[in-house]
Amino acid sequence: MPRLSYLETLEAESIHIIREVACEFQNPVMLYSIGKDSSVMLRLAQKAFHPAPIPFPVLHVDTSYKFREMIAFRDWYTAQIGVKLIVHKNQEALDAGATPYKLGTSRCCGFLKTQSLLDGLREGGFDAAFGGARRDEEKSRAKERIYSFRDTRGQWDPKNQRPELWNLYNGRVEPGESIRVFPLSNWTELDVWEYIHAEKIPVVPLYFAKERPMLQRGDQLISPELDIIPRLPGEKPVMVKCRMRSLGCSPCTGAIRSEADTIPKIIEELISFRRSERENRVIDFDQEGSMEIKKREGYF
Amino acid sequence: MATLPAAPAFSIEQFLEEERGKDLLRFTTAGSVDDGKSTLIGRLLYDSRNVYEDQVRSVTKASVNRSAGPIDFSLLTDGLRAEREQGITIDVAYRYFATARRKFIIADTPGHEQYTRNMATGASTADLAIILIDARKGVLPQSRRHTFIASLLGIRRLAVAVNKMDLVDYSESVFQEIREAFLAWHPHPEQCYFLPISALEGDNVVERSARMPWFQGPSLLEYLETVETGAQDAAAGQPFRFPVQRVIRPNQDFRGYAGQIASGAIRPGDEVCALPSGRHSRVRSIATFDGDLEEACAPMSVTLTLEDELDLSRGDMLAEAPKPPGAAAHFETRLVWLNQKPLDLKRRYLLKHTAQLVSARISAPQRIDVQTLQSAPAATLEMNDIATVEIETSKPLFFDPYVRNRITGSLVLIDVETNATVAAGMIVRAVAAHASKPSGPVTTAERRARFGHRPATLFVGPRESLAAVLERRLFDRGCMAVWMREATPEGLRALEAAGAIAIATSPEPLDLPESDARAADILIERLFEADQKFEKGGGI
Ligand SMILES: Nc1nc2c(ncn2[C@@H]2O[C@H](COP(=O)(O)OP(=O)(O)O)[C@@H](O)[C@H]2O)c(=O)[nH]1
């Protein structure tokens, strides 16, 4: 018997996790961010239950500021694979005019992502939520468990996590409590791309380099597609060959200049980079350790 | 994030091809506080070009006041805010890196004496451990503790790195003395690779050191890239074990058993035996999203279909027919206590083993002194204690000794009140029923432990054929089930008292499918659901 490659090992481990959650929880949901990690997670869920359909819905927390191409891809792909899609928006905050410009990025995220996510989970009565986060993404994630326990307010206590040994996950929760599950914990960004390549998994076209109209602000390239983005005097979009390294809200996600228009080229670009992937997310520059603060409050 | 190959010859297709051939090595690190673990890992990542520029920048500006050279490598791996403030790592953190030869996952565990539990956690999935020793201090009691935990958790490869060689003038005799002292109490030279390093200066971490010409061995990274841990081969070489995680039944025509192969390999046509029923069948197909497979091995996650309808459910096991696992409800187990709340021998705990969740009681703890390896009876176990105990479960587990199989030999205990994971267990052997002789009348709990279920009475309506099918099904699953043809209330009570599942017809038809097989399925499902709820409630 040939030995498993590292990708096959990771795949087997992730499928085991997804099945465990589907068996031990009453009402799981898969968070779907439309990005590459979510695409991989969905494929693993398909594999976990094949030939049966995925036995839980996917939830997209829509801030209403996502790239248009993301929303189009979301609707097409979930229909294509036949999984139930739930979309949740914090309509109250949006009606009150929440934007990153009025509130600052971290408060805007607080209302439109964190709050909205918690509301969406509560409304659905979900007791387990899969997320596509990876431990290699950010330092504070390195200690995250695969089953991450959240109290009744959805909050994370880094000091009070359950030890996790072997492949024995403890999914016991009281009513109102829940867990977040990270089946991709042990994957790296490169692993994710290699898997997408090997498995031919569809991803949002924004990941591929193309001439796009962009606002150039210092080092950052911001998409002008939403009219909430305030223009500086005389500022005009210019055509730049660029792509997104990670997908988020269009005002807060910077593009990178790139020629990578195929997955192998993206992988090639990745291994020649010495910059970690979240750098292009404007939001993470707020404060040192900001991801950890968000997570304590209930963010993924 | 792999090491960047040399530019001119680089071809992405070739790179992807090489990537596909790489395997995965998981290792853990152990050392006392300040032995240099964080520095070593930071150095390993940095020198193998697995650190991004912005990570280096953010560490250079991190507002922590610790003595260091130009880059404090240890900060590359220090995670949480609270820990950064205290300046120590207090939990298990996982790191990922790759070289041209292999992919690695590091379980980075802190060295504080009290954190046995963290090290056990990190070691549980590792194939290799790096044991760090400060060259100035030599082999400390903690080194012994770390080595013991590593072998307890089944690690058979140790890299013993004597660090801070720069502070002892790169002296060969210091290194040799430490090596001998270590082997004096861990007499397994075949398991150990000793090497002198300086994590701070980088000697023998990634590059071989010119400052220690007396040492000829490979650097730490070279060793990690080439060492054969044989972990996967060992798992693949064991008899086939397949704990059923879930029954996949999208329609009438397909009934598959989903799970991750714990050990061994399987092909269509192979004979398997199902536990607990003990019935045999053959594998019809190995179904996956990517099509049926000709063969599958540990640790793949697959779905198996069988030639016969065997009525398996979650927690059951498929195993190699001539070499079945042990099946027992009473074990000797090594236990690492992980929780602040000590072991309470009077209470029941939930026990998770493969896909089974059962109720368990602990007895006869013998605490192991990690320094002397002597054990002595104990009244309780506290956090970080290691002990040998006996465990009795409400249902039999299908297991192999942990030394042979890390998946079917491992278990965790869960506190029913707090839901905390309180202990990690490694099964040593089944305890023969006569080994501990309880006295007095036989209790309901004892009957339950023997039969693996609660007593119950099932009324099936007026259908005698259903009663017969149900009795057969339950009996084949290993249940003590009796269809009482001329049922009387006294008779049924007597059967219940004997711990049996009594089956009886009743005048009123029940709302059940017409097919006896389907109806029996539903009644069995209900019965075991009630049994599970009962377990979740904390037991008898
Ligand atoms: N001179 C010298 N100092 C070292 C070496 N490795 C680590 N240190 C220092 O030892 C101290 C503790 O190191 P650290 O990596 O934080 O230890 P940890 O507690 O095991 O993670 C720090 O001040 C390091 O700079 C080494 O090889 N040589």
Side-chain angles (χ1 to χ4, degrees), chain B residues 31-40 66-69 72-74 77-78 87-89 108 111 132 134 136 163-167 197-202:
Chain B
S32 309
V33 187
D34 286 342
D35 280 353
K37 264 187 330 303
S38 312
T39 309
L40 174 65
R66 286 169 55 154
S67 61
D72 184 343
F73 292 107
S74 68
T77 59
D78 261 358
I88 50 162
T89 46
D108 179 12
L132 219 58
D134 185 329
R136 297 167 306 174
N163 188 32
K164 307 198 185 182
M165 289 299 292
D166 55 307
L167 298 181
I197 66 168
S198 167
L200 195 66
E201 304 292 334

Side-chain angles (χ1 to χ4, degrees), chain B residues 439-451:
Chain B
S439 50
V442 177
T443 63
T444 316
E446 282 175 281
R447 284 186 225 284
R448 182 169 182 195
R450 168 166 305 174
F451 300 137

